[in-house]
Amino acid sequence: MNEILKEEIRRSIRSRGMAMSLILGGIIAAAQVIQYQCRNSYWNLTRNMEAASILYPFSAADSWLAGGAVCMEAFIYFLLIPILAVLPFGTSYFSDQTRGFLKGLYTRVSRRDYLTAKYIAVFFSGGLAVFLPLILNLLCALVLLPNLLPQCVFPNNLICAANLFYQVYFSHPILYTVIFLCIDFVMGGIWACTALACSFISDYKIVAAVCPFFLQLGIHVICTMLNAIDYSSIYFTQSGYGMKSAVALAAYVIIGLTSTWAIFRKKGETEDIF
């Protein structure tokens, strides 16, 4: 089990899809640095804060990619998270099967060990592909902007007393940001595993690859129509928007992990690959 898990993780990290995902995510993250962080840094440097005490500098916590209230790059990035998560290794089971790789592998490794290792590796690769551009963007924000405690009089995002962890945000903003980075990692893993579970619904790999994106898009549209935008993963995974309730996150995590694992394991154990 350990050997096949190490091999699957190694394959996921070295895959061409991981490079493509990081490049795409890095472009969006870099665009946000240029468009917002550099502008906010210039604003901090050119304003006389002592002459106008009502002014408050922009900080790293409210200026990084997921920290602001209105940022087109953030919306695009979190809309594309399913694509970024799937690219590295989400369709690897489909590829292993169509290339005949599984026929030789199952003679040396038990099917259950392979399926478990595959699921873990896909989850890890999806989370990592989403996490790395975000952490690099945050590091850029910490270089360009001060790490100040946020103020709630004229906030630069939508965090208020109605949000979960708001006390953490106003007292330890970096810890609050790390919490959301972990949430984003988990969501990336879930979307990657969604593509894994969809590997059995079609004879075309592209179908499995785009299923998570259209699933998230469909949920977002429904939430928008029902005026329940707080339950859209495009928004509640952004630290600058925040979560009003833990129910949405718990539903995504519990349903996402249990359903994708159950489908993938059941289909994988019963599918005839010979």
Side-chain angles (χ1 to χ4, degrees), residues 4 7 45 60 62 72 123 128 146 180 210 216 254 261 268 271:
I4 186 62
E7 179 60 28
L45 295 173
D62 58 35
M72 180 58 69
F123 181 89
L128 189 66
F180 273 84
V210 299
Q216 178 184 245
I254 295 172
W261 170 241
E271 188 175 36

Side-chain angles (χ1 to χ4, degrees), residues 33-54:
V33 172
I34 297 171
Q35 180 69 20
Y36 289 91
Q37 294 183 23
C38 291
R39 183 192 65 185
N40 291 352
S41 177
Y42 178 79
W43 189 94
N44 286 350
L45 295 173
T46 56
R47 293 299 184 274
N48 187 350
M49 302 296 175
E50 295 181 357
S53 57
I54 195 174

Side-chain angles (χ1 to χ4, degrees), residues 167-184:
Q167 302 98 328
V168 180
Y169 175 71
F170 288 109
S171 58
H172 301 89
I174 294 301
L175 176 59
Y176 175 87
T177 301
V178 170
I179 292 173
F180 273 84
L181 282 171
C182 294
I183 292 172
D184 296 334

Side-chain angles (χ1 to χ4, degrees), residues 10-269:
R10 189 180 299 113
R11 289 177 61 199
S12 69
I13 294 176
R14 296 179 177 179
S15 67
R16 187 177 301 175
M18 177 65 80
M20 293 173 58
S21 178
L22 293 179
I23 290 173
L24 178 57
I27 290 173
I28 300 173
Q32 194 273 343
V33 172
I34 297 171
Q35 180 69 20
Y36 289 91
Q37 294 183 23
C38 291
R39 183 192 65 185
N40 291 352
S41 177
Y42 178 79
W43 189 94
N44 286 350
L45 295 173
T46 56
R47 293 299 184 274
N48 187 350
M49 302 296 175
E50 295 181 357
S53 57
I54 195 174
L55 297 178
Y56 195 79
F58 288 98
S59 67
D62 58 35
S63 298
W64 76 293
L65 181 60
V70 180
C71 176
M72 180 58 69
E73 286 83 359
F75 179 81
I76 294 173
Y77 188 90
F78 284 87
L79 176 66
L80 295 180
I81 273 183
I83 300 296
L84 299 176
V86 169
L87 277 174
F89 216 49
T91 58
S92 58
Y93 179 84
F94 189 98
S95 300
D96 290 349
Q97 181 190 20
T98 54
R99 292 199 308 245
F101 177 75
L102 297 183
K103 295 179 181 179
L105 183 66
Y106 282 165
T107 62
R108 296 178 286 109
V109 179
S110 71
R111 186 176 292 215
R112 178 171 297 182
D113 285 350
Y114 167 76
L115 294 175
T116 303
K118 174 67 73 176
Y119 190 89
I120 294 173
V122 169
F123 181 89
F124 176 78
S125 64
L128 189 66
V130 171
F131 177 83
L132 287 179
L134 291 176
I135 194 66
L136 291 175
N137 181 273
L138 176 60
L139 292 175
C140 289
L142 290 170
V143 170
L144 294 170
L145 297 152
N147 182 27
L148 300 175
L149 291 179
Q151 52 88 33
C152 57
V153 179
F154 296 108
N156 295 318
N157 53 31
L158 301 177
I159 305 303
C160 62
N163 293 94
L164 291 176
F165 315 121
Y166 77 93
Q167 302 98 328
V168 180
Y169 175 71
F170 288 109
S171 58
H172 301 89
I174 294 301
L175 176 59
Y176 175 87
T177 301
V178 170
I179 292 173
F180 273 84
L181 282 171
C182 294
I183 292 172
D184 296 334
F185 182 95
V186 172
M187 290 302 299
I190 290 173
W191 289 125
C193 291
T194 302
L196 196 62
C198 293
S199 300
F200 307 95
I201 66 176
S202 174
D203 293 333
Y204 299 95
K205 184 166 68 173
I206 188 64
V207 175
V210 299
C211 273
F213 173 78
F214 285 106
L215 177 59
Q216 178 184 245
L217 184 62
I219 294 173
H220 176 70
V221 170
I222 292 173
C223 290
T224 304
M225 295 174 62
L226 297 177
N227 196 25
I229 199 69
D230 295 334
Y231 293 93
S232 171
S233 61
I234 295 177
Y235 286 112
F236 75 73
T237 51
Q238 298 185 44
S239 63
Y241 189 89
M243 285 186 289
K244 300 297 190 298
S245 170
V247 173
L249 178 62
Y252 274 88
V253 173
I254 295 172
I255 297 174
L257 291 178
T258 55
S259 61
T260 55
W261 170 241
I263 294 171
F264 178 64
R265 181 173 177 176
K266 181 178 180 181
K267 292 290 187 179
E269 288 182 344

